[in-house]
């Protein structure tokens, strides 16, 4: 009888289930510790749960860090399927309902390829939102942050205190901004020439 692939790393010593961080997309996170698992960490979706497999010896702090890392990896893998404009508009509508009580109502939401210095833009007078194609494949919470940012512009056109108070409703604002700042910083780093075969 072949071994059960879910238990190849050994029977979990401890399994804990907790609610996910805001914006993760899953309804619960289950952490399974295994004495046989030495270094590797893995994760997968199981229905509406995310299961994270870790070595039993990990501290609580390491567990939390790895759960966050694995949620981001899963989200990035899931986002490799590029959302179309219709799906992006549906997402914007959902986010408006969730964070702005549905008050931000764009007339159009679409991807564009001509925004290389901005992640997104909004024309409040037209109700149009455009997101840079460079966001495609980034974690879901980052795309959601940019959408929430542009939706907020439909309610408050500028970047004054009222605008930033609106964005406080989105719980992953700081994290998403940090991610985007890291992408910009990485683009500015000097690229080393490829090593030549000698």
């Amino acid at each position: 009888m072949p071994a059960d692939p879910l238990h190849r790393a050994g029977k979990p010593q401890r399994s804990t289930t907790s609610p996910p961080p805001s914006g993760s997309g899953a309804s619960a996170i289950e952490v399974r510790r295994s004495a046989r698992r030495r270094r590797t960490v893995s994760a997968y979706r199981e229905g509406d749960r995310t299961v994270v497999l870790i070595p039993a010896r990990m501290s609580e702090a390491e567990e939390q860090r790895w759960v966050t890392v694995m949620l981001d990896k899963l989200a990035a893998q899931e986002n490799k399927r590029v959302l179309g404009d219709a799906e992006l508009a549906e997402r914007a509508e959902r986010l408006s309902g969730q964070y702005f009580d549905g008050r931000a109502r764009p007339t159009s939401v679409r991807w564009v390829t001509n925004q290389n210095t901005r992640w997104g833009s909004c024309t409040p007078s037209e109700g149009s939102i455009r997101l840079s194609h460079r966001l495609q494949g980034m974690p879901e919470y980052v795309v959601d942050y940019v959408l929430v940012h542009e939706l907020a512009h439909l309610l408050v056109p500028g970047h004054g205190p009222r605008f930033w108070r609106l964005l406080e409703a989105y719980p992953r604002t700081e994290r998403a901004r940090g991610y985007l700042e890291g992408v910009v910083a990485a683009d500015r780093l000097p690229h080393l020439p490829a090593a030549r075969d000698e």
Side-chain angles (χ1 to χ4, degrees), residues 139-151:
E140 184 177 290
Y141 74 91
V142 175
V143 177
D144 284 353
Y145 163 72
V146 177
L147 273 172
V148 168
H149 183 107
E150 301 309 332
L151 286 165

Side-chain angles (χ1 to χ4, degrees), residues 56 104 123 142-143 145 164 168 189 191-192:
T123 307
V142 175
V143 177
Y145 163 72
W164 293 110
E168 288 173 4
L189 291 174
H191 296 284
L192 299 174

